[in-house]
Amino acid sequence: NQIINTICPTNVFTQPDVSPFSTIILLNARSICPAASGDTKWKLQFIRDYMVRDDNLPPVVALGITETWLNDTYTDAQCHIEDYCCYRADRESRRGGGCALYLHTDLIGTNPLSHSDSDNSVVLVYVKSLHTIFGVVYHPPASSDEHFRLSLNKIQNYIDHCSRNNTVPDARTLR
């Protein structure tokens, strides 16, 4: 398990005003690498422009992205979207994969769980004010059943801990 750092402006944490018509988006991006070239270099900027829009559409409270293709050479600052906190699970041992969760800064996420292996990636974040766990799971078609079971166990342990204790677990204690 990894505890991940997030980039979140601290002066915008307010009581969330989340409408029942708020928007949650899931996107399979097939790379949002900021340094990408060719056909993928525009994706992160397109996502930023969409998320930070000035229109009458319901607010985007959460954006889940699978196949981010990010790794430890890309900082959170390079992937930052204004007014959103980014939680990442980058694939460790090979190119591709990974996932990210962007939560609006009005939603205070606590004790994120980030897990990634050679196949699967998982990000979970608890938002206490909504009593809700937001999560993104990337499970590629050719991944091993054993790795997927391990990822599912981590997810179940996180949910069980939240349910039993009405609190968020320290992600470092989950097995």
Side-chain angles (χ1 to χ4, degrees):
N1 288 341
Q2 302 168 339
I3 299 300
I4 49 181
N5 296 322
T6 60
I7 300 221
C8 299
T10 56
N11 58 347
V12 294
F13 289 131
T14 60
Q15 185 68 350
D17 181 21
V18 179
S19 145
F21 302 106
S22 296
T23 302
I24 298 172
I25 297 172
L26 177 62
L27 170 69
N28 184 323
R30 199 165 183 266
S31 181
I32 61 166
C33 294
S37 61
D39 293 341
T40 62
K41 69 180 179 182
W42 57 271
K43 290 181 184 179
L44 186 57
Q45 188 56 51
F46 178 83
I47 293 167
R48 284 180 178 132
D49 292 345
Y50 183 82
M51 299 290 283
V52 185
R53 61 193 198 275
D54 187 21
D55 55 28
N56 293 325
L57 294 175
V60 176
V61 296
L63 166 66
I65 303 176
T66 57
E67 288 201 68
T68 60
W69 292 26
L70 298 174
N71 58 46
D72 61 2
T73 63
Y74 300 106
T75 66
D76 286 343
Q78 289 176 290
C79 304
H80 179 69
I81 297 176
E82 182 182 344
D83 295 329
Y84 289 84
C85 298
C86 178
Y87 304 90
R88 295 169 36 185
D90 302 341
R91 184 182 275 171
E92 296 174 359
S93 59
R94 65 181 204 212
R95 180 175 173 237
C99 62
L101 174 65
Y102 287 86
L103 279 183
H104 195 278
T105 52
D106 282 348
L107 301 177
I108 302 170
T110 57
N111 277 16
L113 169 67
S114 172
H115 166 74
S116 190
D117 55 35
S118 60
D119 290 329
N120 306 285
S121 300
V122 176
V123 173
L124 299 175
V125 180
Y126 180 67
V127 176
K128 187 174 184 177
S129 61
L130 299 177
H131 306 290
T132 302
I133 297 170
F134 287 87
V136 181
V137 177
Y138 175 64
H139 172 64
S143 65
S144 81
D145 289 343
E146 181 182 341
H147 284 170
F148 190 51
R149 274 193 291 280
L150 290 172
S151 295
L152 290 176
N153 285 338
K154 288 179 184 297
I155 294 167
Q156 189 63 58
N157 288 342
Y158 192 88
I159 293 168
D160 288 348
H161 188 281
C162 291
S163 298
R164 267 193 318 273
N165 304 316
N166 198 25
T167 61
V168 182
D170 180 338
R172 292 172 292 195
T173 64
L174 296 177
R175 306 210 190 302

mmCIF file of all heavy atoms in Angstrom, residues 33-63:
data_model
loop_
_atom_site.group_PDB
_atom_site.id
_atom_site.type_symbol
_atom_site.label_atom_id
_atom_site.label_comp_id
_atom_site.label_asym_id
_atom_site.label_seq_id
_atom_site.Cartn_x
_atom_site.Cartn_y
_atom_site.Cartn_z
ATOM 1 N N CYS A 33 -0.663 11.512 -19.859
ATOM 2 C CA CYS A 33 0.694 11.957 -19.550
ATOM 3 C C CYS A 33 0.901 13.384 -20.045
ATOM 4 O O CYS A 33 0.692 13.672 -21.223
ATOM 5 C CB CYS A 33 1.735 11.034 -20.179
ATOM 6 S SG CYS A 33 1.714 9.388 -19.488
ATOM 7 N N PRO A 34 1.318 14.276 -19.141
ATOM 8 C CA PRO A 34 1.520 15.666 -19.529
ATOM 9 C C PRO A 34 2.605 15.845 -20.592
ATOM 10 O O PRO A 34 2.559 16.795 -21.360
ATOM 11 C CB PRO A 34 1.939 16.356 -18.238
ATOM 12 C CG PRO A 34 1.663 15.406 -17.150
ATOM 13 C CD PRO A 34 1.562 14.042 -17.739
ATOM 14 N N ALA A 35 3.542 14.940 -20.661
ATOM 15 C CA ALA A 35 4.641 15.064 -21.619
ATOM 16 C C ALA A 35 4.388 14.258 -22.885
ATOM 17 O O ALA A 35 5.285 14.087 -23.696
ATOM 18 C CB ALA A 35 5.945 14.611 -20.969
ATOM 19 N N ALA A 36 3.170 13.768 -23.043
ATOM 20 C CA ALA A 36 2.868 12.928 -24.200
ATOM 21 C C ALA A 36 3.014 13.724 -25.498
ATOM 22 O O ALA A 36 2.917 14.941 -25.521
ATOM 23 C CB ALA A 36 1.450 12.381 -24.088
ATOM 24 N N SER A 37 3.239 12.998 -26.542
ATOM 25 C CA SER A 37 3.323 13.635 -27.856
ATOM 26 C C SER A 37 2.320 12.970 -28.787
ATOM 27 O O SER A 37 1.707 11.965 -28.448
ATOM 28 C CB SER A 37 4.741 13.496 -28.412
ATOM 29 O OG SER A 37 5.057 12.131 -28.551
ATOM 30 N N GLY A 38 2.136 13.538 -29.929
ATOM 31 C CA GLY A 38 1.247 12.919 -30.919
ATOM 32 C C GLY A 38 -0.199 13.002 -30.528
ATOM 33 O O GLY A 38 -0.696 14.043 -30.111
ATOM 34 N N ASP A 39 -0.900 11.862 -30.636
ATOM 35 C CA ASP A 39 -2.347 11.831 -30.465
ATOM 36 C C ASP A 39 -2.830 12.017 -29.033
ATOM 37 O O ASP A 39 -4.019 12.202 -28.816
ATOM 38 C CB ASP A 39 -2.898 10.495 -30.975
ATOM 39 C CG ASP A 39 -2.741 10.349 -32.482
ATOM 40 O OD1 ASP A 39 -2.562 11.379 -33.162
ATOM 41 O OD2 ASP A 39 -2.797 9.212 -32.964
ATOM 42 N N THR A 40 -1.962 11.934 -28.022
ATOM 43 C CA THR A 40 -2.451 11.995 -26.642
ATOM 44 C C THR A 40 -2.075 13.269 -25.909
ATOM 45 O O THR A 40 -2.540 13.479 -24.793
ATOM 46 C CB THR A 40 -1.919 10.798 -25.829
ATOM 47 O OG1 THR A 40 -0.500 10.865 -25.782
ATOM 48 C CG2 THR A 40 -2.371 9.487 -26.425
ATOM 49 N N LYS A 41 -1.271 14.139 -26.473
ATOM 50 C CA LYS A 41 -0.782 15.289 -25.711
ATOM 51 C C LYS A 41 -1.874 16.293 -25.359
ATOM 52 O O LYS A 41 -1.735 17.060 -24.435
ATOM 53 C CB LYS A 41 0.365 15.982 -26.434
ATOM 54 C CG LYS A 41 -0.005 16.689 -27.694
ATOM 55 C CD LYS A 41 1.217 17.334 -28.297
ATOM 56 C CE LYS A 41 0.864 18.048 -29.588
ATOM 57 N NZ LYS A 41 2.028 18.633 -30.195
ATOM 58 N N TRP A 42 -2.990 16.300 -26.054
ATOM 59 C CA TRP A 42 -4.068 17.250 -25.828
ATOM 60 C C TRP A 42 -5.036 16.805 -24.733
ATOM 61 O O TRP A 42 -5.837 17.598 -24.250
ATOM 62 C CB TRP A 42 -4.859 17.441 -27.121
ATOM 63 C CG TRP A 42 -5.403 16.132 -27.647
ATOM 64 C CD1 TRP A 42 -4.781 15.276 -28.496
ATOM 65 C CD2 TRP A 42 -6.641 15.514 -27.307
ATOM 66 N NE1 TRP A 42 -5.558 14.170 -28.731
ATOM 67 C CE2 TRP A 42 -6.716 14.289 -28.008
ATOM 68 C CE3 TRP A 42 -7.713 15.886 -26.490
ATOM 69 C CZ2 TRP A 42 -7.805 13.433 -27.910
ATOM 70 C CZ3 TRP A 42 -8.803 15.023 -26.396
ATOM 71 C CH2 TRP A 42 -8.835 13.821 -27.099
ATOM 72 N N LYS A 43 -4.994 15.553 -24.304
ATOM 73 C CA LYS A 43 -6.043 15.006 -23.442
ATOM 74 C C LYS A 43 -6.149 15.692 -22.088
ATOM 75 O O LYS A 43 -7.247 16.047 -21.656
ATOM 76 C CB LYS A 43 -5.844 13.502 -23.254
ATOM 77 C CG LYS A 43 -6.130 12.715 -24.509
ATOM 78 C CD LYS A 43 -5.955 11.237 -24.266
ATOM 79 C CE LYS A 43 -6.144 10.455 -25.544
ATOM 80 N NZ LYS A 43 -5.956 9.018 -25.333
ATOM 81 N N LEU A 44 -5.022 15.871 -21.391
ATOM 82 C CA LEU A 44 -5.087 16.468 -20.062
ATOM 83 C C LEU A 44 -5.615 17.900 -20.144
ATOM 84 O O LEU A 44 -6.444 18.294 -19.323
ATOM 85 C CB LEU A 44 -3.725 16.422 -19.369
ATOM 86 C CG LEU A 44 -3.715 16.884 -17.919
ATOM 87 C CD1 LEU A 44 -4.692 16.081 -17.068
ATOM 88 C CD2 LEU A 44 -2.308 16.781 -17.343
ATOM 89 N N GLN A 45 -5.183 18.651 -21.125
ATOM 90 C CA GLN A 45 -5.688 20.028 -21.260
ATOM 91 C C GLN A 45 -7.177 20.035 -21.588
ATOM 92 O O GLN A 45 -7.930 20.852 -21.071
ATOM 93 C CB GLN A 45 -4.910 20.810 -22.318
ATOM 94 C CG GLN A 45 -5.266 22.285 -22.337
ATOM 95 C CD GLN A 45 -5.064 22.959 -20.986
ATOM 96 O OE1 GLN A 45 -4.004 22.838 -20.372
ATOM 97 N NE2 GLN A 45 -6.082 23.651 -20.486
ATOM 98 N N PHE A 46 -7.628 19.113 -22.408
ATOM 99 C CA PHE A 46 -9.059 19.003 -22.721
ATOM 100 C C PHE A 46 -9.852 18.714 -21.451
ATOM 101 O O PHE A 46 -10.908 19.311 -21.213
ATOM 102 C CB PHE A 46 -9.293 17.914 -23.771
ATOM 103 C CG PHE A 46 -10.739 17.710 -24.096
ATOM 104 C CD1 PHE A 46 -11.380 18.527 -25.015
ATOM 105 C CD2 PHE A 46 -11.468 16.706 -23.478
ATOM 106 C CE1 PHE A 46 -12.727 18.345 -25.312
ATOM 107 C CE2 PHE A 46 -12.812 16.521 -23.763
ATOM 108 C CZ PHE A 46 -13.446 17.347 -24.689
ATOM 109 N N ILE A 47 -9.361 17.791 -20.625
ATOM 110 C CA ILE A 47 -10.037 17.450 -19.369
ATOM 111 C C ILE A 47 -10.070 18.670 -18.451
ATOM 112 O O ILE A 47 -11.103 18.980 -17.855
ATOM 113 C CB ILE A 47 -9.352 16.248 -18.684
ATOM 114 C CG1 ILE A 47 -9.549 14.988 -19.535
ATOM 115 C CG2 ILE A 47 -9.888 16.047 -17.276
ATOM 116 C CD1 ILE A 47 -8.671 13.819 -19.127
ATOM 117 N N ARG A 48 -8.943 19.378 -18.337
ATOM 118 C CA ARG A 48 -8.900 20.596 -17.506
ATOM 119 C C ARG A 48 -9.952 21.599 -17.980
ATOM 120 O O ARG A 48 -10.685 22.170 -17.171
ATOM 121 C CB ARG A 48 -7.516 21.235 -17.574
ATOM 122 C CG ARG A 48 -6.471 20.537 -16.780
ATOM 123 C CD ARG A 48 -5.133 21.263 -16.921
ATOM 124 N NE ARG A 48 -4.127 20.624 -16.111
ATOM 125 C CZ ARG A 48 -2.913 20.301 -16.551
ATOM 126 N NH1 ARG A 48 -2.545 20.591 -17.790
ATOM 127 N NH2 ARG A 48 -2.057 19.722 -15.748
ATOM 128 N N ASP A 49 -9.998 21.840 -19.272
ATOM 129 C CA ASP A 49 -10.949 22.814 -19.820
ATOM 130 C C ASP A 49 -12.389 22.390 -19.544
ATOM 131 O O ASP A 49 -13.244 23.229 -19.230
ATOM 132 C CB ASP A 49 -10.744 22.986 -21.332
ATOM 133 C CG ASP A 49 -9.426 23.656 -21.676
ATOM 134 O OD1 ASP A 49 -8.791 24.249 -20.782
ATOM 135 O OD2 ASP A 49 -9.030 23.569 -22.859
ATOM 136 N N TYR A 50 -12.671 21.112 -19.638
ATOM 137 C CA TYR A 50 -14.022 20.617 -19.391
ATOM 138 C C TYR A 50 -14.401 20.748 -17.916
ATOM 139 O O TYR A 50 -15.520 21.142 -17.580
ATOM 140 C CB TYR A 50 -14.166 19.157 -19.830
ATOM 141 C CG TYR A 50 -15.573 18.654 -19.636
ATOM 142 C CD1 TYR A 50 -16.548 18.931 -20.591
ATOM 143 C CD2 TYR A 50 -15.932 17.948 -18.495
ATOM 144 C CE1 TYR A 50 -17.854 18.501 -20.411
ATOM 145 C CE2 TYR A 50 -17.234 17.523 -18.307
ATOM 146 C CZ TYR A 50 -18.194 17.798 -19.263
ATOM 147 O OH TYR A 50 -19.485 17.379 -19.062
ATOM 148 N N MET A 51 -13.473 20.419 -17.033
ATOM 149 C CA MET A 51 -13.759 20.418 -15.597
ATOM 150 C C MET A 51 -13.911 21.830 -15.039
ATOM 151 O O MET A 51 -14.675 22.052 -14.114
ATOM 152 C CB MET A 51 -12.657 19.683 -14.837
ATOM 153 C CG MET A 51 -12.507 18.228 -15.234
ATOM 154 S SD MET A 51 -13.863 17.214 -14.709
ATOM 155 C CE MET A 51 -13.452 17.032 -12.991
ATOM 156 N N VAL A 52 -13.158 22.756 -15.546
ATOM 157 C CA VAL A 52 -13.182 24.130 -15.045
ATOM 158 C C VAL A 52 -13.942 24.978 -16.062
ATOM 159 O O VAL A 52 -13.402 25.832 -16.720
ATOM 160 C CB VAL A 52 -11.747 24.667 -14.822
ATOM 161 C CG1 VAL A 52 -11.790 26.042 -14.188
ATOM 162 C CG2 VAL A 52 -10.951 23.711 -13.957
ATOM 163 N N ARG A 53 -15.199 24.692 -16.184
ATOM 164 C CA ARG A 53 -16.015 25.381 -17.174
ATOM 165 C C ARG A 53 -16.981 26.335 -16.488
ATOM 166 O O ARG A 53 -17.301 26.171 -15.314
ATOM 167 C CB ARG A 53 -16.752 24.373 -18.044
ATOM 168 C CG ARG A 53 -17.706 23.478 -17.279
ATOM 169 C CD ARG A 53 -18.150 22.324 -18.145
ATOM 170 N NE ARG A 53 -19.332 21.680 -17.656
ATOM 171 C CZ ARG A 53 -19.324 20.725 -16.732
ATOM 172 N NH1 ARG A 53 -18.194 20.341 -16.213
ATOM 173 N NH2 ARG A 53 -20.436 20.168 -16.340
ATOM 174 N N ASP A 54 -17.447 27.291 -17.220
ATOM 175 C CA ASP A 54 -18.365 28.283 -16.684
ATOM 176 C C ASP A 54 -19.664 28.187 -17.480
ATOM 177 O O ASP A 54 -19.849 28.866 -18.476
ATOM 178 C CB ASP A 54 -17.741 29.675 -16.796
ATOM 179 C CG ASP A 54 -18.571 30.728 -16.097
ATOM 180 O OD1 ASP A 54 -19.374 30.363 -15.225
ATOM 181 O OD2 ASP A 54 -18.420 31.916 -16.428
ATOM 182 N N ASP A 55 -20.540 27.314 -17.033
ATOM 183 C CA ASP A 55 -21.811 27.132 -17.721
ATOM 184 C C ASP A 55 -22.865 26.746 -16.698
ATOM 185 O O ASP A 55 -22.630 26.757 -15.505
ATOM 186 C CB ASP A 55 -21.695 26.091 -18.833
ATOM 187 C CG ASP A 55 -21.167 24.750 -18.336
ATOM 188 O OD1 ASP A 55 -21.380 24.427 -17.148
ATOM 189 O OD2 ASP A 55 -20.551 24.021 -19.119
ATOM 190 N N ASN A 56 -24.011 26.391 -17.154
ATOM 191 C CA ASN A 56 -25.109 26.049 -16.257
ATOM 192 C C ASN A 56 -25.261 24.554 -16.033
ATOM 193 O O ASN A 56 -26.268 24.115 -15.512
ATOM 194 C CB ASN A 56 -26.421 26.627 -16.803
ATOM 195 C CG ASN A 56 -26.419 28.133 -16.751
ATOM 196 O OD1 ASN A 56 -25.869 28.729 -15.829
ATOM 197 N ND2 ASN A 56 -27.019 28.758 -17.746
ATOM 198 N N LEU A 57 -24.287 23.773 -16.447
ATOM 199 C CA LEU A 57 -24.345 22.331 -16.217
ATOM 200 C C LEU A 57 -24.093 22.025 -14.747
ATOM 201 O O LEU A 57 -23.443 22.795 -14.046
ATOM 202 C CB LEU A 57 -23.304 21.627 -17.083
ATOM 203 C CG LEU A 57 -23.527 21.698 -18.591
ATOM 204 C CD1 LEU A 57 -22.346 21.068 -19.326
ATOM 205 C CD2 LEU A 57 -24.812 20.994 -18.979
ATOM 206 N N PRO A 58 -24.594 20.886 -14.268
ATOM 207 C CA PRO A 58 -24.311 20.512 -12.876
ATOM 208 C C PRO A 58 -22.808 20.412 -12.651
ATOM 209 O O PRO A 58 -22.057 20.056 -13.564
ATOM 210 C CB PRO A 58 -24.965 19.133 -12.731
ATOM 211 C CG PRO A 58 -25.936 19.037 -13.854
ATOM 212 C CD PRO A 58 -25.403 19.895 -14.957
ATOM 213 N N PRO A 59 -22.361 20.705 -11.434
ATOM 214 C CA PRO A 59 -20.924 20.641 -11.162
ATOM 215 C C PRO A 59 -20.397 19.212 -11.233
ATOM 216 O O PRO A 59 -21.100 18.264 -10.895
ATOM 217 C CB PRO A 59 -20.806 21.183 -9.730
ATOM 218 C CG PRO A 59 -22.159 20.957 -9.130
ATOM 219 C CD PRO A 59 -23.142 21.056 -10.252
ATOM 220 N N VAL A 60 -19.180 19.074 -11.674
ATOM 221 C CA VAL A 60 -18.507 17.776 -11.655
ATOM 222 C C VAL A 60 -17.875 17.641 -10.269
ATOM 223 O O VAL A 60 -16.966 18.388 -9.928
ATOM 224 C CB VAL A 60 -17.432 17.668 -12.761
ATOM 225 C CG1 VAL A 60 -16.698 16.342 -12.654
ATOM 226 C CG2 VAL A 60 -18.063 17.829 -14.134
ATOM 227 N N VAL A 61 -18.386 16.715 -9.454
ATOM 228 C CA VAL A 61 -17.852 16.539 -8.110
ATOM 229 C C VAL A 61 -16.735 15.512 -8.084
ATOM 230 O O VAL A 61 -15.855 15.574 -7.223
ATOM 231 C CB VAL A 61 -18.943 16.175 -7.076
ATOM 232 C CG1 VAL A 61 -19.935 17.312 -6.935
ATOM 233 C CG2 VAL A 61 -19.639 14.888 -7.423
ATOM 234 N N ALA A 62 -16.757 14.578 -9.035
ATOM 235 C CA ALA A 62 -15.719 13.546 -9.065
ATOM 236 C C ALA A 62 -15.481 13.105 -10.512
ATOM 237 O O ALA A 62 -16.416 12.948 -11.281
ATOM 238 C CB ALA A 62 -16.115 12.351 -8.218
ATOM 239 N N LEU A 63 -14.206 12.919 -10.812
ATOM 240 C CA LEU A 63 -13.791 12.398 -12.115
ATOM 241 C C LEU A 63 -12.867 11.220 -11.866
ATOM 242 O O LEU A 63 -11.831 11.371 -11.221
ATOM 243 C CB LEU A 63 -13.050 13.468 -12.916
ATOM 244 C CG LEU A 63 -12.276 12.981 -14.155
ATOM 245 C CD1 LEU A 63 -13.224 12.450 -15.219
ATOM 246 C CD2 LEU A 63 -11.405 14.098 -14.709
#
